Structures are given as structure tokens and as C-alpha cells.
Amino acid sequence: KQQRGESNEATAAGHGILKRGGNAFDAAVAVAAVLAVVEPYASGLGGGSFWLLHRARDGHQVMVDARETAPGGVTQALYLDKTGKPVRGATTQGGTAAGIPGVPAALVHVAERYGTLPLAVTLAPAIRHARDGFKVDERYARIAGLRERYLQNGTGTSRIFLEADRTPRPGWLLRQPELAETLERLAKEGRNGFYAG
């Protein structure tokens, strides 16, 4: 028996946007936003992305670089010890591993520059999945199990991504109301809803 799976939620969102009259760029924004909700282990607003776009009507092609960037106050000294050798874990753990996410800016940029529908429409499926929740599949449960200790020790991650502080069973309903609010602000206020809110 084939399971529905989280990526199918994203595909359905893209199809839904096309049926509402959106173009391929609108659908791509919807798909990326839903993946940020339903595949938190592989995607999300907190990361970066690259978008290779092709507009068929005029052959316009563009690469949108939405990689994370280092915070303005970061210096090389945070990553090197007194002898100039890399500090173990500095780029993978704690505050020195943080980056300014590029995904929210990319969603807004692609929607405003290339899409035909308002961002509130293209983000609506992601907002709905975040607020109402979705049933996690076996893949989510397996990955959460592999990262259970990290999720238990993270700030607020256990409350969101684990079931009673343990790896959830397939079929568990994952709700992310804070993410829904963030997506709503992005839809309403554009870039500033995320970066200046």
C-alpha cells in the first residue's frame, strides 16, 4: 500500500495553485513553502535555497541565490583559536553556526517578480498545513528518531516535533502554529514580515 507522504502535500499545493490560475512560479513558491512545513528535516524557512528559473514566453532565465548569510557582527576570530586553527564545532553548533535565512526573501522575490497571484494565495496551503497540522509519515518518524536527543535538548523543538518528548509514531498530527503565524506575516508584509518583524 502506497502512503501519501509529506512531499505529496507539496505537490498537491502546487497543482492547486495552477488550478487557481497561477503560473509555474506561483506553484513553485507554494511547493517550497509547503515543504518548509511538512519536511522540516530537509527544508524550512530557516535555511537557504537556490532557484533556477526559466520563463518560456520570452526565454528569460535567472538564478536566484537565496543562501543563508552570516550575521553582520560575525568575524573570523569567532571561528579560529589563538593559533589560527578552526574552533571545533564553531560552524555547526551554537550561535556561531547561525545564519540569516534566505528562503523567506526568495519566496517573496519569486512571487512578486515572477508570479501572478498574491503571496497570501500562494502561501495559504503552507499556512493551513502549519496551523491545522498534517499526519507524519514513516520517513518523518524515522528521521525524528535519529535526531531525538537533539530535538529533546533544543529550545522548544521537543514541544513541536516530538510526541510527549519521544519520537512520534507515523500518523501523529504535527501542528506548528508559530510557523503558521510567521508565514501569515510573510504573506501580509512581504520581506519585512520576516526580517523586520
Side-chain angles (χ1 to χ4, degrees):
K1 179 180 173 183
Q2 186 176 4
Q3 293 196 341
R4 181 149 185 187
E6 284 98 5
S7 61
N8 289 341
E9 301 292 349
T11 302
H15 284 176
I17 291 299
L18 293 173
K19 287 178 184 173
R20 291 192 67 175
N23 64 20
F25 304 114
D26 294 313
V29 168
V31 167
V34 170
L35 286 173
V37 174
V38 302
E39 291 190 356
Y41 48 81
S43 188
L45 292 186
S49 62
F50 295 107
W51 299 62
L52 181 57
L53 307 177
H54 171 79
R55 190 168 51 210
R57 76 167 187 248
D58 62 0
H60 177 71
Q61 298 185 105
V62 66
M63 172 68 150
V64 176
D65 179 354
R67 274 309 297 238
E68 316 83 341
T69 58
V74 168
T75 64
Q76 195 175 26
L78 294 170
Y79 302 94
L80 301 176
D81 65 19
K82 291 178 184 177
T83 66
K85 294 188 181 187
V87 174
R88 184 180 172 113
T91 61
T92 59
Q93 300 170 2
T96 56
I100 307 301
V103 169
L107 295 173
V108 173
H109 177 79
V110 172
E112 290 178 350
R113 188 109 189 234
Y114 303 101
T116 60
L117 298 176
L119 197 55
V121 173
T122 55
L123 293 184
I127 293 166
R128 181 175 39 81
H129 286 303
R131 174 160 288 114
D132 299 343
F134 66 95
K135 291 182 179 180
V136 303
D137 65 7
E138 289 178 17
R139 183 175 184 208
Y140 177 96
R142 180 175 45 79
I143 293 170
L146 292 172
R147 305 300 289 175
E148 182 181 73
R149 182 172 55 98
Y150 296 100
L151 292 169
Q152 290 167 338
N153 294 328
T155 303
T157 51
S158 178
R159 174 183 60 82
I160 298 167
F161 298 111
L162 296 178
E163 180 182 13
D165 204 36
R166 294 285 180 223
T167 300
R169 309 172 308 278
W172 176 68
L173 190 66
L174 171 56
R175 290 188 177 104
Q176 301 169 80
E178 294 94 346
L179 180 55
E181 290 175 20
T182 300
L183 287 163
E184 285 175 335
R185 288 187 71 158
L186 190 63
K188 188 176 187 180
E189 302 171 35
R191 291 179 54 94
N192 286 343
F194 185 87
Y195 297 100

